[in-house]
């Protein structure tokens, strides 16, 4: 009888130790979270790191104030990805970082019609309707976890010879300076609509690039590496647009 009692007490002690250990780990995790602000930048190749290029997430890491507590910026951009890919990796590449704020920018790959394929594609990789639904799904999950969200429209594009060679067929128009944006502009419009209806902040990168293009002695090409990806100047413009929105969103959260 004593033997059984001893085993029972030992098991209870072991279980209590495990529970205490788990509680301590949870407390340490919560303490670490409260000691730093985590921001995830989530997008495609216009978000992802590119060799020596200083991308906007790096600028945010450098320029966001850290007087109250440290800021950690996690770049979860992956080249070639659409919002379908984003949904598939959302838990691993966003939620598991336990973020305070997430910046979402997709659209260039979603809108692309791969006319260079044999036979040529005739539809966008992700329809604008599905794109809309995917963005709203991610926003819903973040709101449920009380994580701040900032949406960004994709940057507009410009033709270069290589892009004309690949995409210079209908529905694109290689003779029109805006011919590479013929579908992308509707995806940018969808982001604006979602931001308004979901009541989340918007950084309209598409409009900013187009407005830059309209100024004297300036061109959107000056903001792009290859007609598609923002260069140093373009990345700095994106960061400058984001910074006040991030500060306002974190202040609203009481960070």
């Amino acid at each position: 009888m004593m033997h059984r009692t001893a085993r029972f007490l030992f098991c209870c002690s072991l279980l209590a130790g495990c529970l205490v250990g788990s509680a301590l780990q949870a407390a340490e995790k919560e303490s670490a979270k409260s000691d730093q602000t985590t921001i995830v930048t989530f997008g495609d190749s216009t978000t992802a790191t590119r060799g020596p290029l200083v991308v906007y997430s790096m600028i945010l890491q450098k320029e966001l104030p850290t007087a109250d507590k440290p800021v950690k910026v996690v770049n979860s951009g992956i080249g070639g990805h659409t919002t379908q890919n984003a949904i598939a990796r959302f838990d691993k590449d966003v939620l598991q970082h336990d973020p305070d704020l997430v910046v979402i920018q997709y659209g260039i790959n979603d809108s692309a019609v791969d006319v260079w394929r044999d036979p040529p594609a005739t539809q966008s990789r992700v329809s604008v309707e599905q794109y809309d639904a995917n963005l709203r799904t991610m926003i819903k999950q973040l709101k449920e976890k009380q994580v701040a969200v900032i949406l960004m429209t994709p940057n507009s594009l410009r033709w270069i010879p290589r892009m004309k060679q690949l995409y210079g067929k209908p529905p694109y128009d290689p003779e029109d300076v805006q011919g590479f944006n013929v579908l992308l502009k509707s995806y940018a419009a969808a982001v604006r609509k979602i931001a308004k209806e979901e009541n989340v902040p918007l950084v309209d990168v598409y409009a900013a690039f187009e407005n830059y293009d309209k100024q004297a002695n300036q061109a959107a090409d000056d903001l792009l590496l290859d007609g598609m990806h923002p260069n140093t100047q373009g990345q700095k413009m994106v960061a400058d647009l984001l910074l006040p929105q991030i500060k306002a969103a974190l202040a609203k959260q009481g960070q």
Side-chain angles (χ1 to χ4, degrees):
M1 185 70 176
M2 289 296 294
H3 179 65
R4 290 183 180 179
T5 302
R7 287 182 61 186
F8 175 75
L9 290 174
F10 175 76
C11 290
C12 288
S13 175
L14 187 63
L15 177 60
C18 291
L19 291 173
V20 169
S22 298
L24 285 172
Q25 287 179 352
E28 287 172 0
K29 183 178 179 182
E30 185 61 31
S31 175
K33 176 176 171 57
S34 66
D35 288 341
Q36 91 176 0
T37 298
T38 301
I39 297 169
V40 175
T41 59
F42 193 47
D44 52 32
S45 58
T46 60
T47 295
T49 54
R50 295 182 68 79
L53 179 68
V54 177
V55 296
Y56 73 81
S57 63
M58 297 175 183
I59 301 172
L60 296 179
Q61 181 68 77
K62 183 178 179 181
E63 296 193 9
L64 280 167
T66 58
D68 295 328
K69 56 181 171 178
V71 175
K72 178 183 179 182
V73 180
V74 178
N75 189 329
S76 287
I78 296 182
H81 274 202
T82 67
T83 53
Q84 288 292 101
N85 303 116
I87 290 288
R89 65 188 183 93
F90 192 65
D91 183 71
K92 174 179 175 289
D93 290 348
V94 176
L95 298 182
Q96 286 193 24
H97 292 290
D98 202 10
D100 298 282
L101 183 149
V102 178
V103 178
I104 302 176
Q105 184 188 35
Y106 285 89
I108 292 176
N109 295 307
D110 292 80
S111 69
V113 179
D114 295 324
V115 293
W116 47 269
R117 291 188 181 277
D118 185 16
T122 58
Q123 302 291 329
S124 295
R125 294 178 191 172
V126 177
S127 70
V128 71
E129 293 80 13
Q130 187 62 54
Y131 173 74
D132 180 296
N134 289 342
L135 288 175
R136 290 181 194 268
T137 295
M138 290 185 278
I139 291 168
K140 182 175 184 290
Q141 290 187 54
L142 292 170
K143 283 184 173 181
E144 286 173 350
K145 294 181 178 294
Q146 297 183 318
V147 177
V149 188
I150 296 176
L151 285 183
M152 294 208 297
T153 54
N155 59 265
S156 58
L157 312 176
R158 287 296 183 272
W159 289 118
I160 63 168
R162 173 63 175 161
M163 290 297 106
K164 281 190 176 182
Q165 183 182 0
L166 285 172
Y167 286 97
K169 303 174 185 176
Y172 302 106
D173 183 355
E175 303 307 316
D176 183 348
V177 69
Q178 289 287 347
F180 205 8
N181 295 315
V182 63
L183 297 173
L184 183 61
K185 62 185 179 182
S186 64
Y187 286 69
V191 178
R192 297 184 193 109
K193 182 172 183 286
I194 294 166
K196 183 177 181 180
E197 292 178 355
E198 298 289 341
N199 193 30
V200 299
L202 172 71
V203 173
D204 199 340
V205 180
Y206 189 103
F209 275 48
E210 289 304 298
N211 289 336
Y212 182 91
D213 190 73
K214 293 174 184 176
Q215 307 305 311
N217 302 314
Q218 294 183 175
D221 301 80
D222 301 334
L223 304 173
L224 299 167
L225 283 170
D226 49 13
M228 184 175 292
H229 301 95
N231 58 18
T232 300
Q233 186 178 351
Q235 294 283 349
K236 182 65 165 60
M237 177 183 285
V238 173
D240 288 346
L241 292 168
L242 264 173
L243 279 165
Q245 293 277 19
I246 289 174
K247 291 175 185 177
L250 293 178
K252 187 175 180 181
Q253 271 194 333
Q255 299 294 321

